[in-house]
């Protein structure tokens, strides 16, 4: 169920908010409505997998109770934590990586002239990566003493299934949201108006910009990569660079807006990543909930930067390989993770210092070239496609005679997307020129502006085939 589908907009969401305001005067009523809505929302998309999550939730609650009963850092608490983490990771490995592992094992066996190996087709449940990571944070937070085992299983179920962030994040750490679920305060008028404005912004970004960029990217990336020209390759990468940002940040906007309308405040997931002046800066701004999760639950436990320089670089490589694997069970994702890890090491070695001597706009441009080459890996269906794509990107004087045909309106929307990113950079130098300041200073004008484009976005969304969010498959 997509947030901008008629089923959600005109049936599910109105029903949830009507029930919320009718029966949500007390905390128990609000909890009941929110939990019921969240279970229906996920069960609609995953009617089978939801029961596996139920079983896993029950195990989590048992494990969390046992971790809390034993001394922190002791053998028993470590053993229970290991059980909880492994059981959750097994769900992820089976549903997301079993097919990839079996395919590569089969290829290896055939290369060695041994009998092949095949595995039945396994459907990837929506949002499984986000669910597993959040469930792990609950167990680790209890082990570290940051949080206590919940005494009300409904709160933990709501934490896992809370429908605004369920399918594609932001990844919410348990200790960041636990007190809000325990309080479960009633939404006020400001929550509803500000939340709906944020939701409208997300719908506009998704349907008007991201989906248009997706159509342009699909044209280029479906082209035979052997006959791709230099200009088309870069145009395709720019299309995808804009698509993935406006698509994923749009979902975050919708999730944050819907949660705010229910009285909850989710942490931001993006902070103008395309104004970054180095790759380290980029990863502080892009998918911040994932970056924060990897830093707290993988990088620091590995030792972070407290060991030798070589150990720090090793930890960075492990973390970004894990990030690549988290995004998808395919070699391009793994290569993309390693690519980012290498450039973060180069940042620490010399690149940041070198870029500091350049004007910010040049550093920004060079950083974006690095990011876009990375996106070309991310978007490619295979290593072979990426190799051909990269060859075209670095071959300006090679003509194949087979240019791709792209409608003019796609270029117009591309220019608009680039213009928005330019305005984000401009907001660093002009006082009160950011979205939040403008929204607070001119609320009526901003909401009228959003309403017009929101209606236009819905009209386009109803007319065109629905395009799922990119991160649904992760």
């Amino acid at each position: 169920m997509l947030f901008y589908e008629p089923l959600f907009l005109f049936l599910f969401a109105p029903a949830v908010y009507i029930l919320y305001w009718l029966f949500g005067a007390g905390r128990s009523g609000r909890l009941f409505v929110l939990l019921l809505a969240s279970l229906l929302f996920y069960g609609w998309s995953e009617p089978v997998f939801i029961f596996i999550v139920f079983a896993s939730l029950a195990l989590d609650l048992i494990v969390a109770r046992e971790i809390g009963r034993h001394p922190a850092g002791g053998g028993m608490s470590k053993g229970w934590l290991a059980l909880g983490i492994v059981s959750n990771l097994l769900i992820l490995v089976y549903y997301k990586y079993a097919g990839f592992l079996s395919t590569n094992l089969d290829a290896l066996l055939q290369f060695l002239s041994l009998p092949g190996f095949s595995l039945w087709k396994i459907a990837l449940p929506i949002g499984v990566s986000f669910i597993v990571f959040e469930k792990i944070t609950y167990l680790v937070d209890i082990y570290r003493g940051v949080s206590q085992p919940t005494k009300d299983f409904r709160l933990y179920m709501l934490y896992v299934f809370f429908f605004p962030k369920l399918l594609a994040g932001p990844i919410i750490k348990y200790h960041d949201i636990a007190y809000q679920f325990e309080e479960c305060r009633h939404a006020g008028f400001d929550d509803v108006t500000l939340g709906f404005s944020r939701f409208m912004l997300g719908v506009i970004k998704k349907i008007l910009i991201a989906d248009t960029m997706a159509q342009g990217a699909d044209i280029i990336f479906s082209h035979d990569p052997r006959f791709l020209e230099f200009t088309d390759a870069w145009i395709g990468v720019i299309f995808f660079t804009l698509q993935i940002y406006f698509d994923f940040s749009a979902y975050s906007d919708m999730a944050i807006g819907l949660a705010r309308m229910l009285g909850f405040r989710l942490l931001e997931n993006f902070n103008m990543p395309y104004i970054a002046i180095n790759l380290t800066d980029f990863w502080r701004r892009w998918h911040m909930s994932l970056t924060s999760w990897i830093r707290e639950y993988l990088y620091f436990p590995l030792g972070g930067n407290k060991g030798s320089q070589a150990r720090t670089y090793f930890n960075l490589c492990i973390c970004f390989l894990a990030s690549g694997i988290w995004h998808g069970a395919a070699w391009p994702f793994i290569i993309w993770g390693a690519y980012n890890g290498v450039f973060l090491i180069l940042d620490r070695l010399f690149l940041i210092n070198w870029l500091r001597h350049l004007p910010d706009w040049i550093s920004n441009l060079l950083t974006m070239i690095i990011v876009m080459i990375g996106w070309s890996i991310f978007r490619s269906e295979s290593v072979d496609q990426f190799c051909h794509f990269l060859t075209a990107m670095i071959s300006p004087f090679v003509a194949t005679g087979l240019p791709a045909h792209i409608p003019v309106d796609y270029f117009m929307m591309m220019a608009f997307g680039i213009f928005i990113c330019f305005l984000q950079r401009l907001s660093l130098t002009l006082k009160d020129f950011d979205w939040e300041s403008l929204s607070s200073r001119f609320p009526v004008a901003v909401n009228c502006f959003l309403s017009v484009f929101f209606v236009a976005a819905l009209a386009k969304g109803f007319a065109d085939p629905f395009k799922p969010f990119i991160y649904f498959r992760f």
Side-chain angles (χ1 to χ4, degrees):
M1 191 187 303
L2 300 179
F3 287 157
Y4 54 89
E5 280 183 343
L7 177 64
F8 181 87
L9 287 173
F10 301 116
L11 181 60
F12 181 84
V16 169
Y17 281 100
I18 288 172
L19 291 173
Y20 180 85
W21 288 96
L22 285 177
F23 303 103
R27 176 180 176 276
S28 296
R30 291 193 292 274
L31 272 177
F32 175 78
V33 170
L34 293 175
L35 186 54
L36 177 63
S38 297
L39 293 175
L40 287 174
F41 180 83
Y42 194 65
W44 180 271
S45 302
E46 296 292 346
V48 176
F49 182 68
I50 191 173
F51 291 101
I52 295 173
V53 180
F54 283 152
S56 180
L57 284 173
L59 179 60
D60 288 344
L61 292 170
I62 294 171
V63 169
R65 184 190 64 197
E66 293 301 320
I67 292 174
R69 286 181 56 232
H70 293 91
M76 290 298 293
S77 60
K78 285 182 179 178
W80 281 105
L81 176 64
L83 173 64
I85 292 175
V86 170
S87 65
N88 278 288
L89 290 179
L90 283 176
I91 295 173
L92 192 60
V93 169
Y94 176 76
Y95 281 101
K96 193 166 184 175
Y97 304 110
F100 172 72
L101 294 172
S102 67
T103 299
N104 283 276
L105 177 59
D106 179 60
L108 177 62
L109 292 173
Q110 293 190 26
F111 176 77
L112 297 174
S113 301
L114 295 172
F117 175 84
S118 61
L119 190 68
W120 56 88
K121 183 73 174 178
I122 301 172
L124 178 65
I126 294 174
V128 61
S129 299
F130 293 91
I131 290 173
V132 166
F133 270 31
E134 289 181 341
K135 288 163 90 273
I136 288 174
T137 72
Y138 173 67
L139 300 177
V140 175
D141 284 355
I142 291 171
Y143 174 79
R144 292 175 174 174
V146 177
S147 302
Q148 296 298 316
T150 180
K151 297 178 181 178
D152 187 345
F153 75 94
R154 297 175 302 171
L155 297 181
Y156 184 55
M157 289 183 69
L158 185 59
Y159 165 66
V160 173
F161 286 111
F162 189 47
F163 75 88
K165 58 82 184 171
L166 178 60
L167 302 183
I171 300 171
I172 305 299
K173 296 187 285 292
Y174 184 74
H175 63 262
D176 285 334
I177 197 77
Y179 73 95
Q180 292 192 53
F181 285 132
E182 289 171 2
E183 181 184 9
C184 198
R185 72 178 182 86
H186 200 292
F189 179 75
D190 286 346
D191 293 317
V192 175
T193 54
L194 292 173
F196 189 64
S197 295
R198 188 69 179 268
F199 179 79
M200 288 194 294
L201 177 64
V203 172
I204 293 166
K205 288 164 67 174
K206 166 61 177 170
I207 299 179
L208 294 185
I209 304 177
D211 286 357
T212 304
M213 295 298 94
Q215 292 171 318
D218 289 346
I219 291 173
I220 300 296
F221 280 89
S222 63
H223 206 68
D224 190 330
R226 296 171 300 171
F227 304 107
L228 198 63
E229 292 192 339
F230 171 81
T231 304
D232 286 343
W234 278 101
I235 288 172
V237 172
I238 294 171
F239 273 133
F240 184 70
T241 298
L242 294 170
Q243 177 199 353
I244 193 169
Y245 170 53
F246 284 103
D247 185 283
F248 193 19
S249 66
Y251 184 92
S252 295
D253 287 334
M254 294 184 213
I256 291 169
L258 287 169
R260 183 68 183 272
M261 292 171 70
L262 294 166
F264 298 93
R265 299 198 179 192
L266 304 185
L267 296 177
E268 295 293 337
N269 209 18
F270 291 88
N271 182 22
M272 303 183 292
Y274 289 168
I275 70 170
I277 55 175
N278 54 65
L279 203 65
T280 301
D281 185 27
F282 173 80
W283 279 106
R284 288 172 181 152
R285 298 172 176 273
W286 177 273
H287 199 174
M288 296 185 293
S289 63
L290 175 64
T291 306
S292 173
W293 193 98
I294 289 176
R295 183 177 63 251
E296 288 191 34
Y297 298 96
L298 184 57
Y299 182 66
F300 290 160
L302 286 172
N305 59 0
K306 293 182 179 179
S308 66
Q309 200 173 49
R311 178 67 190 192
T312 299
Y313 298 156
F314 174 79
N315 294 342
L316 283 171
C317 283
I318 292 297
C319 289
F320 274 87
L321 277 174
S323 174
I325 294 169
W326 179 87
H327 278 85
W331 285 111
F333 293 118
I334 297 173
I335 295 171
W336 173 78
Y339 171 88
N340 280 278
V342 167
F343 271 97
L344 284 170
I345 292 172
L346 293 177
D347 268 359
R348 287 175 174 264
L349 286 172
F350 69 89
L351 200 51
I352 286 181
N353 289 331
W354 183 72
L355 290 171
R356 281 176 182 155
H357 293 90
L358 301 175
D360 280 354
W361 70 270
I362 295 180
S363 298
N364 184 201
L365 180 61
L366 293 174
T367 300
M368 284 308 302
I369 290 172
I370 295 170
V371 169
M372 287 191 289
I373 293 173
W375 287 142
S376 70
I377 306 172
F378 190 96
R379 177 60 175 79
S380 295
E381 299 291 335
S382 65
V383 176
D384 183 66
Q385 183 185 22
F386 163 67
C387 290
H388 285 297
F389 216 95
L390 182 61
T391 300
M393 292 171 70
I394 60 175
S395 305
F397 305 111
V398 177
T400 64
L402 293 173
H405 174 70
I406 303 171
V408 175
D409 57 317
Y410 292 4
F411 286 107
M412 295 173 63
M413 191 56 72
M414 174 197 285
F416 182 62
I418 293 172
F419 178 66
I420 290 176
C421 295
F422 171 76
L423 290 180
Q424 291 178 343
R425 171 147 289 282
L426 196 61
S427 70
L428 297 179
T429 57
L430 296 179
K431 184 180 179 181
D432 296 331
F433 192 66
D434 59 283
W435 177 262
E436 289 187 6
S437 297
L438 292 173
S439 299
S440 59
R441 289 168 60 197
F442 310 105
V444 176
V446 167
N447 281 293
C448 288
F449 170 84
L450 287 174
S451 298
V452 170
F453 282 93
F454 178 66
V455 172
L458 291 182
K460 180 180 183 296
F462 296 157
D464 293 343
F466 288 110
K467 288 185 176 293
F469 292 92
I470 290 177
Y471 270 67
F472 272 14
R473 58 181 172 146
F474 304 142

